[in-house]
Amino acid sequence: MSNAIQQLHGVVQQYQWGKIGSSSMVAKLCKSGDKKCKVEEDQPYAELWMGTHVKAPSKLVKSDLDLRQFVQENVEVLGEKVCGRFNDLPYLFKVLSVAKALSIQAHPNKGHAEKLHAERPDIYKDPNHKPEMAIALTRFEALCGFRSVAEIVRFFQLVPELCTVIGEKPCQALKTSNDPEEQSAALKSCFSQLIICDKALLQKQLAALVKRVSAMKGIDYEHVLGELLLRLNRQFPGDVGCFVIYFLNHVFLQPGEALFLKANVPHAYLDGDCIECMACSDNVVRAGLTPKLIDANTLIEMLEYQPSSVEEQLFEPTPTQHNNELLYNPPIDDFAVSCVKLPVSLASYEFSVNDSASIVLFIEGAAHVEGGSDIEVRRGTILFVPAGTVLQLSNIGRNVTAYRATCLL
């Protein structure tokens, strides 16, 4: 029956920046959720994909179909609104386990994505935008959004090597800028000069900075982000991203805290494990901290040069009518994510019924899926819940934590 709950296996991506072996949350979830999964302790486990993305659609446990084929053959499972608007599952749900910095990057808006795909389909492989949200599962470190002008100017004073790379005139323009429009233009000029600077000059000044910072101790070391600078330079020696840390907010999320990354916001994930949900796209424009293709000019022109604070980067969930549920509902139509936590004292629990399809990932717990199903929930279990279908758990044997991706039109 197409309206029955389906158990899924996600697809693991073993990118080199992922955590190694059983230290990876991705590996732990896969090993627990799929008895056939064998974790190799010397290999990276970076991402777990859950959805219908053509690059890596999830597999149905009790069928030869993948989720993409299943949805195409049973479009009613999406729900009437989602089917009419998107005609596919509009989001991609992931777990990330980050041991090494991901690229300095941003994602295009819908119109820009269509243009990039039309002009360079070999690089930008779909015409969709890619807003995304990250919810920390462990302490999670990232760079996100431009710092305040005052902070950046302070780094000009503390890190003269940065000014040498950018040039005196752009730095002075940012120091003396006043109104928001003037600050935005000056910030773009400084950031652009850094990203497209002469590589020999960049590497000479970065080497000088690394040598100077390596000899620092205490508060001076902290004031120039010494630990982060040296760590990134070990991971990507001589890379422009080592200077970008002085432009972007350095954010630490505690478990349950979230970032929402709209189009054209520069960011980079640095360390930790998180839930991630995004529009169903793989469009990424990169400018540093990566062995992949760098498209610096495109990134420079697309970014929003709006100074912000660390606090402004955080995205707060809201309580729902269900006491055990928090909803992360960003200002877009493509996706929302809820977190459900159930104590073992509950005899049973019925998830709210949505008029669109959901994917539910269990991070921890043990329970039984009611309604004629033989699905036993444990850590790493992934469920596809068709629109209008009731998901009810019984025999809750351990405290349950689940994340649910859906579309709230």
Side-chain angles (χ1 to χ4, degrees):
M1 295 175 61
S2 63
N3 65 343
I5 293 171
Q6 301 287 337
Q7 187 172 357
L8 305 177
H9 287 153
V11 178
V12 173
Q13 305 288 2
Q14 293 187 278
Y15 306 133
Q16 289 303 305
W17 51 259
K19 291 187 177 181
I20 304 298
S22 295
S23 68
S24 165
M25 179 72 75
V26 168
K28 291 174 184 175
L29 292 170
C30 289
K31 185 176 181 179
S32 178
D34 181 358
K35 295 178 180 178
K36 296 180 181 178
C37 176
K38 304 296 183 184
V39 174
E40 297 180 58
E41 294 299 338
D42 61 346
Q43 294 299 310
Y45 292 81
E47 295 188 353
L48 175 65
W49 287 30
M50 297 164 282
T52 60
H53 194 285
V54 63
K55 181 178 174 181
S58 300
K59 310 297 182 184
L60 272 64
V61 171
K62 293 190 174 181
S63 171
D64 293 331
L65 298 177
D66 62 41
L67 185 59
R68 183 176 181 83
Q69 294 167 325
F70 177 77
V71 168
Q72 288 174 341
E73 294 181 11
N74 303 277
V75 292
E76 69 278 4
V77 299
L78 296 172
E80 185 176 347
K81 292 179 182 178
V82 172
C83 190
R85 172 76 179 274
F86 299 103
N87 201 37
D88 194 0
L89 205 63
Y91 54 82
L92 178 59
F93 201 27
K94 296 183 181 182
V95 177
L96 272 61
S97 290
V98 181
K100 181 180 179 181
L102 279 71
S103 55
I104 303 292
Q105 60 181 258
H107 307 297
N109 61 32
K110 180 65 173 171
H112 193 197
E114 291 172 349
K115 183 174 184 290
L116 290 172
H117 176 63
E119 294 174 349
R120 289 181 283 171
D122 55 322
I123 298 171
Y124 301 104
K125 299 184 183 297
D126 63 72
N128 203 15
H129 66 167
K130 195 190 177 198
E132 62 188 30
M133 182 166 57
I135 306 171
L137 293 173
T138 61
R139 184 176 182 269
F140 193 77
E141 181 185 8
L143 299 171
C144 181
F146 285 105
R147 295 175 181 271
S148 69
V149 169
E151 282 188 83
I152 296 171
V153 168
R154 183 172 65 88
F155 282 125
F156 287 170
Q157 296 171 335
L158 295 171
V159 187
E161 296 88 348
L162 176 61
C163 286
T164 300
V165 171
I166 294 171
E168 182 180 348
K169 187 176 179 180
C171 290
Q172 187 62 29
L174 185 60
K175 290 177 184 178
T176 57
S177 62
N178 292 310
D179 63 82
E181 185 174 338
E182 191 179 41
Q183 287 184 340
S184 179
L187 179 56
K188 179 179 180 180
S189 177
C190 286
F191 191 74
S192 301
Q193 289 301 314
L194 171 62
I195 295 298
I196 64 173
C197 70
D198 177 76
K199 298 309 176 189
L201 174 63
L202 169 74
Q203 293 182 1
K204 179 181 178 180
Q205 292 301 316
L206 182 56
L209 176 60
V210 166
K211 182 178 179 180
R212 185 166 66 86
V213 171
S214 297
M216 288 181 177
K217 295 181 180 179
I219 197 71
D220 291 338
Y221 183 76
E222 294 176 11
H223 281 169
V224 296
L225 308 180
E227 188 279 329
L228 178 59
L229 170 72
L230 298 183
R231 183 184 0 141
L232 294 183
N233 191 61
R234 287 193 299 271
Q235 294 177 1
F236 296 94
D239 192 278
V240 69
C242 298
F243 276 127
V244 170
I245 64 175
Y246 300 116
F247 278 89
L248 303 186
N249 288 296
H250 191 197
V251 181
F252 292 92
L253 301 180
Q254 298 304 316
E257 292 184 327
L259 296 171
F260 172 63
L261 302 164
K262 63 180 182 178
N264 304 327
V265 173
H267 61 278
Y269 297 155
L270 302 179
D271 185 71
D273 303 277
C274 75
I275 292 286
E276 189 179 50
C277 197
M278 63 193 64
C280 195
S281 171
D282 204 26
N283 283 325
V284 182
V285 185
R286 302 177 180 88
L289 300 180
T290 180
K292 296 183 178 180
L293 175 74
I294 287 176
D295 191 355
N297 290 327
T298 298
L299 186 86
I300 288 167
E301 291 305 316
M302 68 186 275
L303 292 182
E304 290 186 359
Y305 294 90
Q306 296 180 350
S308 60
S309 66
V310 168
E311 291 73 23
E312 288 176 289
Q313 304 306 319
L314 301 181
F315 186 79
E316 296 289 337
T318 57
T320 71
Q321 60 185 1
H322 297 266
N323 293 333
N324 304 89
E325 182 181 45
L326 287 175
L327 178 64
Y328 301 80
N329 188 16
I332 53 163
D333 291 338
D334 305 70
F335 64 83
V337 176
S338 59
C339 177
V340 175
K341 293 190 175 185
L342 309 176
V344 69
S345 58
L346 279 181
S348 64
Y349 181 82
E350 185 175 303
F351 286 67
S352 57
V353 178
N354 287 351
D355 61 4
S356 62
S358 301
I359 294 177
V360 184
L361 168 67
F362 291 85
I363 299 297
E364 59 183 356
H368 176 74
V369 177
E370 286 291 302
S373 167
D374 61 353
I375 299 173
E376 298 296 328
V377 166
R378 59 185 180 273
R379 184 184 202 184
T381 295
I382 307 168
L383 303 179
F384 177 78
V385 183
T389 299
V390 175
L391 171 58
Q392 183 171 355
L393 302 182
S394 63
N395 300 332
I396 298 173
R398 290 195 303 273
N399 291 346
V400 168
T401 298
Y403 285 89
R404 178 187 195 183
T406 193
C407 178
L408 301 176
L409 291 179

